[in-house]
Amino acid sequence: MAALMVLPAFVYYILLNQGRSTEYFFAWTVALIKLITSTDFYSKWLAFLGSLFGLTVIFLSLAGALIATPRLRWLLISL
């Protein structure tokens, strides 16, 4: 079943349309990989989340993830 879902996308993007998929990979993955190691990116991202939701909601969601059972905790953290 998974092969039926992946095969059409693989054929189109890898075999038929190589230029666009390569451009997408380099524009969104390789060029932005430096953000993973940048602390400035994460501080700006947290400030943006704070402006969207408010710090109270963010801290309550973190507290809820920490008091959950260990099996559920990893699911909540990944969300």
Side-chain angles (χ1 to χ4, degrees):
M1 186 57 106
L4 287 175
M5 294 186 307
V6 172
L7 189 62
F10 175 79
V11 168
Y12 180 75
Y13 287 111
I14 304 299
L15 300 178
L16 299 177
N17 201 5
Q18 286 180 337
R20 295 289 297 171
S21 60
T22 304
E23 177 186 330
Y24 177 82
F25 177 75
F26 281 107
W28 288 103
T29 305
V30 176
L32 299 176
I33 199 77
K34 64 182 177 214
L35 292 178
I36 293 174
T37 59
S38 172
T39 57
D40 186 47
F41 168 73
Y42 291 107
S43 64
K44 287 182 180 179
W45 182 69
L46 283 173
F48 174 68
L49 284 180
S51 68
L52 282 178
F53 301 113
L55 292 177
T56 306
V57 173
I58 293 172
F59 287 132
L60 286 175
S61 64
L62 287 173
L66 291 176
I67 63 172
T69 61
R71 186 172 180 176
L72 183 61
R73 183 178 305 141
W74 290 110
L75 174 68
L76 292 173
I77 290 173
S78 68
L79 292 175

